[in-house]
């Protein structure tokens, strides 16, 4: 089996926190390039994008979730609308993911077995709940660790390359 990925949720969580710390390290080191035309597209587009959509995204997302839940609990947002909002958001995101998987298969035919496509489509139902929330939490943990000065990268368990025995 050829798979160099991490093994288990604990290792995956460490990997995602590690990625976030690496991102923050790079962003902090290159902060002087932000919005400087001298650095071209990197300084004017790529770095601002990374700051807003990669670094700040988990913070903004958790603030949005807390705001919506508080509004529902405090009665500012009707519970019926809250449930419809959650259901529609989940359904819409899931349909987009399923469409992307099917479009990839129709266009490139990367999978030899239809069961692989079915497996991918079934994962689309788990992508937006609970995986997205776990991923956000792991990234927030990476931000918190980095801001505390913990820049060490914890070891990850990985699946190695398994070679066939040679006769």
């Amino acid at each position: 089996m050829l798979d160099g990925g991490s093994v288990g949720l604990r290792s995956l969580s460490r990997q995602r926190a590690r990625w976030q710390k690496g991102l923050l390290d790079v962003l902090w080191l290159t902060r002087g390039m932000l919005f400087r035309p001298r650095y071209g597209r990197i300084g004017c587009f790529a770095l601002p994008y990374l700051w807003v959509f990669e670094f700040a995204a988990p913070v903004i997302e958790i603030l949005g979730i807390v705001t919506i839940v508080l509004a529902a609990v405090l009665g500012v947002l009707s519970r019926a609308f809250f449930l419809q909002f959650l259901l529609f958001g989940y359904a819409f995101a899931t349909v987009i993911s399923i469409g992307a998987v099917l479009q990839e298969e129709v266009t490139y035919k990367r999978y030899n077995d239809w069961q692989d496509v079915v497996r991918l489509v079934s994962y689309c139902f788990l992508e937006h709940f609970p995986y997205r929330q776990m991923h956000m939490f792991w990234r927030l943990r990476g931000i918190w660790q980095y801001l505390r000065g913990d820049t060490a990268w914890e070891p990850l368990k990985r699946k190695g390359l398994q070679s066939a025995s040679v006769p």
Side-chain angles (χ1 to χ4, degrees), residues 72-89:
V73 168
L74 296 174
V76 175
L77 183 64
S78 78
R79 286 196 173 90
F81 179 79
F82 176 67
L83 291 174
Q84 291 171 357
F85 176 78
L86 288 179
L87 185 61
F88 178 77

Side-chain angles (χ1 to χ4, degrees), residues 3-159:
D3 184 358
S6 59
V7 178
L9 282 179
R10 184 175 175 89
S11 190
L12 182 63
S13 73
R14 287 180 179 168
Q15 181 189 61
R16 296 308 191 253
R18 182 172 157 165
W19 286 2
Q20 196 71 15
K21 288 194 277 189
L23 171 71
L24 287 170
D25 203 26
V26 169
L27 289 177
W28 188 250
L29 290 173
T30 59
R31 67 188 181 278
M33 295 172 62
L34 268 175
F35 303 111
R36 312 260 320 265
R38 166 183 178 181
Y39 296 104
R41 290 178 285 207
I42 301 274
C44 293
F45 298 107
L47 286 172
Y49 171 87
L50 290 171
W51 275 97
V52 173
F53 295 104
E54 294 298 328
F55 164 64
V59 176
I60 293 168
E61 191 170 336
I62 193 71
L63 288 173
I65 290 171
V66 168
T67 301
I68 289 173
V69 169
L70 275 175
V73 168
L74 296 174
V76 175
L77 183 64
S78 78
R79 286 196 173 90
F81 179 79
F82 176 67
L83 291 174
Q84 291 171 357
F85 176 78
L86 288 179
L87 185 61
F88 178 77
Y90 174 77
F92 183 73
T94 302
V95 166
I96 295 293
S97 294
I98 290 170
V101 167
L102 295 177
Q103 181 181 14
E104 174 82 10
E105 178 55 21
V106 167
T107 305
Y108 298 108
K109 299 194 185 309
R110 294 187 191 267
Y111 305 102
N112 297 329
D113 189 3
W114 64 270
Q115 292 173 333
D116 291 335
V117 177
V118 170
R119 187 177 306 117
L120 275 175
V121 167
S122 67
Y123 290 155
C124 292
F125 289 93
L126 299 174
E127 178 184 8
H128 304 288
F129 183 81
Y131 179 75
R132 183 169 183 81
Q133 291 73 30
M134 291 188 308
H135 189 257
M136 177 185 52
F137 175 75
W138 298 332
R139 290 176 64 193
L140 285 170
R141 192 177 68 193
I143 292 170
W144 178 249
Q145 289 171 348
Y146 185 83
L147 294 176
R148 280 191 354 234
D150 176 10
T151 57
W153 287 22
E154 297 179 36
L156 303 175
K157 289 182 184 176
R158 295 186 175 271
K159 290 182 184 177

